[in-house]
């Protein structure tokens, strides 16, 4: 297993290119199961999760390959399969979003139930509720969701759970509804930019969807969808991660190919702390000149502060004088990074679903362990300013969602290298 070694203390400066959004690519790749025609998806970064989705599409009888930031998918009509096996689903929860497309297109699906998850309890009851409402007959058998239907039929579905809307739940139900007979209304739909991106992909395929970008989606089912050529949006979480990496070092960065429109809550909080964020000839400039101020952050569904930025924001607050409070309202247990940050000298206390962060003067490098994708990013950020050497193990988590992070950071002046093991 590879490790990252970081020598903290360098100020980040320069330009960084933001990759395509992983969380757009994955459901969009699943949506190619809805057509018999080839699809081309552009701006797809070479990430572990993308390769897992390619393997899954292949196991479902599709031809799928990644080359030069582009994914090509072509259905092999006679060889289509409807089984998403445990060994793939267990490595990537997003695999569950093949369920809706398989049920809509092939009228049957067997998809392994996703297993436990380190960021907390992650049920799929809303996905199943929506697909049942559309007329899917759904059973759980031997660890698999077994779904079948004669024909899905449009209906009215309320898709809210105890923590609000569901991103992949909305994706799954929307992908099923586009081929259902008649009209579907999804109430409390998620409206994250990645859900909007998927909806735009489906529109291009010939789907009829109204209310995109709102919490109520109105979908008129069509008989078939066509293959398309589509470019995914930039990754707002990767962009936010580099903003914080720059800010924590007192740096000056230009983010290229990022979209500030998708980052309102993150930009607002960073500005409150004293980070300067401006647009500069179509790029985003992030600069920090003064001491940072503590903030209160609560994660919420979009357009609220994203849970996928919570750990990185916490890393920034560890060295911000004063008391910051970070409350998690999407995954109340998503705090695996707290103990590791404390090992580096941070002073963070957990109180239910809130972390109380008392800013310290400096962090000190230590061997730490990555536990999930965003927690890993937080440890990298902390390592950039820690005194001495930080050694992060289990960075395969990082490779699931950040393209060549050590290369991008090195180019900005960080002393960071990958140790192959
Ligand atoms: N929930 C339910 N029932 C469901 C589905 C979700 O109660 O059937 C709850 C979850 O337990 C959670 C909340 O609803 O408390 C929101 O979860 P959501 O379904 O929106 O999460 P997801 O769709 O499984 C996506 C991202 C995650 C991101 C969340 C929240 C992808 C591939 N994953 O997951 O990204 O944290 O939305 O924004 O899009 C990451 O990239 O590191 C990552 C974990």
């Amino acid at each position: 297993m590879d490790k990252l070694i970081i020598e903290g203390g360098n100020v980040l400066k320069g330009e960084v290119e933001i990759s395509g959004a992983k969380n757009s690519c994955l459901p969009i790749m699943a949506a190619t199961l809805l057509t018999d025609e080839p699809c081309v998806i552009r701006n797809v970064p070479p990430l572990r999760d993308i390769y897992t989705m390619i393997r899954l599409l292949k196991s479902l009888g599709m031809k799928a390959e990644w080359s030069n930031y582009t994914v090509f998918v072509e259905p092999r009509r006679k060889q289509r399969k409807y089984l998403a096996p445990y060994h793939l689903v267990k490595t990537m929860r997003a695999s569950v979003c093949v369920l809706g497309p398989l049920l809509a297109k092939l009228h049957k699906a067997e998809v392994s139930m996703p297993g436990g998850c380190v960021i907390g309890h992650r049920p799929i009851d809303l996905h199943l509720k929506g697909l049942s409402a559309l007329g899917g007959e759904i059973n759980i058998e031997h660890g698999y969701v077994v779904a079948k239907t004669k024909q899905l039929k449009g209906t009215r579905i309320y898709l809210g759970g105890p923590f609000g809307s569901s991103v992949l739940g909305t994706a799954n139900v929307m992908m099923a509804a586009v081929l259902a007979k008649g009209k579907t209304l999804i109430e409390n739909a998620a409206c994250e930019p990645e859900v909007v991106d998927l909806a735009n992909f489906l529109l291009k395929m010939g789907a009829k969807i109204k209310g995109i970008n709102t919490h109520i989606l109105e979908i008129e089912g069509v008989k078939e969808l066509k293959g398309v050529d589509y470019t995914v949006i930039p990754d707002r979480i990767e962009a936010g991660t580099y903003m914080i990496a720059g800010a924590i070092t007192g740096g000056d960065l230009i983010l290229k190919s990022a979209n500030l429109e998708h980052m309102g809550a993150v930009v607002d909080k960073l500005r409150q702390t004293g980070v300067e964020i401006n647009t500069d000839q179509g790029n985003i400039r992030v600069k920090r000149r003064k001491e940072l101020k503590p903030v209160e952050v609560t994660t919420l569904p979009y357009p609220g502060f994203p849970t996928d930025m919570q750990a990185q924001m916490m890393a920034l607050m560890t060295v911000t004088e004063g008391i910051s409070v970070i409350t998690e309202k999407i995954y109340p247990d998503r705090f695996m990074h707290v103990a590791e940050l404390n090992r580096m000298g941070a002073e963070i206390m957990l109180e239910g679903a809130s972390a109380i962060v008392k800013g310290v003067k400096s962090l000190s490098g230590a061997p730490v362990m990555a536990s999930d994708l965003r927690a890993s990013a937080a440890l990298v950020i902390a390592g950039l300013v820690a005194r001495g050497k930080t050694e992060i193990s289990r960075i395969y988590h990082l490779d699931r969602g950040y393209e060549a992070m050590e290369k991008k950071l090195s180019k900005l002046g960080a002393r960071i290298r990958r140790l192959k093991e």
Side-chain angles (χ1 to χ4, degrees), residues 74-89:
E74 195 176 337
R76 291 182 290 197
R77 201 184 279 247
K78 292 209 176 94
Q79 295 170 38
R80 302 251 339 224
K81 298 192 177 70
Y82 55 86
L83 177 85
Y86 175 63
H87 73 272
L88 291 175
V89 179

Side-chain angles (χ1 to χ4, degrees), residues 22-24 26-27 49 92-94 96-97 117 119-128 160-170 190 192 194 236-237 300-302 306-308 329-332 334 372-374:
K22 166 190 82 97
N23 289 350
S24 273
L26 297 173
D49 277 6
M92 185 181 72
R93 291 186 61 87
V96 76
C97 59
C117 181
I119 68 177
H121 183 48
R122 292 178 78 182
I124 57 163
D125 56 312
L126 294 174
H127 303 232
L128 303 186
F163 300 98
S165 51
S166 163
V167 173
L168 291 180
T170 303
E192 269 67 6
E194 296 76 18
R236 66 192 165 108
I237 306 300
L300 288 168
Y302 190 82
T307 171
D308 290 344
K329 291 250 168 132
I330 307 287
Y331 297 113
R334 192 176 198 177
D372 73 82
L373 173 54
R374 310 302 171 187

Side-chain angles (χ1 to χ4, degrees), residues 49-228:
D49 277 6
I50 299 294
Y51 294 124
T52 305
M53 187 53 99
I54 286 181
R55 279 163 62 209
L56 181 56
L57 290 176
K58 281 183 172 164
S59 82
L60 292 169
M62 315 285 277
K63 254 190 185 157
E65 64 174 34
W66 181 95
S67 163
N68 194 21
Y69 293 85
T70 306
V71 165
F72 303 88
V73 188
E74 195 176 337
R76 291 182 290 197
R77 201 184 279 247
K78 292 209 176 94
Q79 295 170 38
R80 302 251 339 224
K81 298 192 177 70
Y82 55 86
L83 177 85
Y86 175 63
H87 73 272
L88 291 175
V89 179
K90 77 171 183 200
T91 61
M92 185 181 72
R93 291 186 61 87
S95 309
V96 76
C97 59
V98 300
L99 183 57
L102 287 176
L103 186 62
K105 180 71 182 164
L106 304 182
H107 294 172
K108 51 189 170 183
E110 291 183 16
V111 177
S112 172
M113 286 283 284
C117 181
V118 74
I119 68 177
H121 183 48
R122 292 178 78 182
I124 57 163
D125 56 312
L126 294 174
H127 303 232
L128 303 186
K129 175 184 170 188
L131 296 175
S132 307
L134 287 170
E137 235 178 82
I138 295 178
N139 292 297
I140 308 294
E141 292 171 17
H142 312 293
Y144 278 75
V145 178
V146 178
K148 59 182 182 193
T149 184
K150 282 210 176 73
Q151 166 68 52
L152 295 179
K153 289 197 185 73
T155 186
R156 187 181 189 126
I157 304 163
Y158 180 80
L159 215 57
F163 300 98
S165 51
S166 163
V167 173
L168 291 180
T170 303
N172 240 334
V173 177
M174 175 165 63
M175 287 190 280
V178 291
L179 285 184
K181 201 163 175 229
K183 190 196 280 184
T184 299
L185 213 61
I186 306 179
E187 292 174 310
N188 207 359
C191 62
E192 269 67 6
E194 296 76 18
V195 176
V196 173
D197 211 20
L198 170 66
N200 285 332
F201 179 79
L202 294 169
L203 278 186
K204 206 166 178 191
M205 291 176 100
K208 293 191 177 152
I209 309 172
K210 286 190 196 153
I212 295 174
N213 227 340
T214 75
H215 290 297
I216 300 182
L217 292 173
E218 194 183 314
I219 300 163
E220 186 70 49
V222 296
K223 282 225 161 63
E224 55 185 22
L225 293 168
K226 56 180 190 288
V228 290

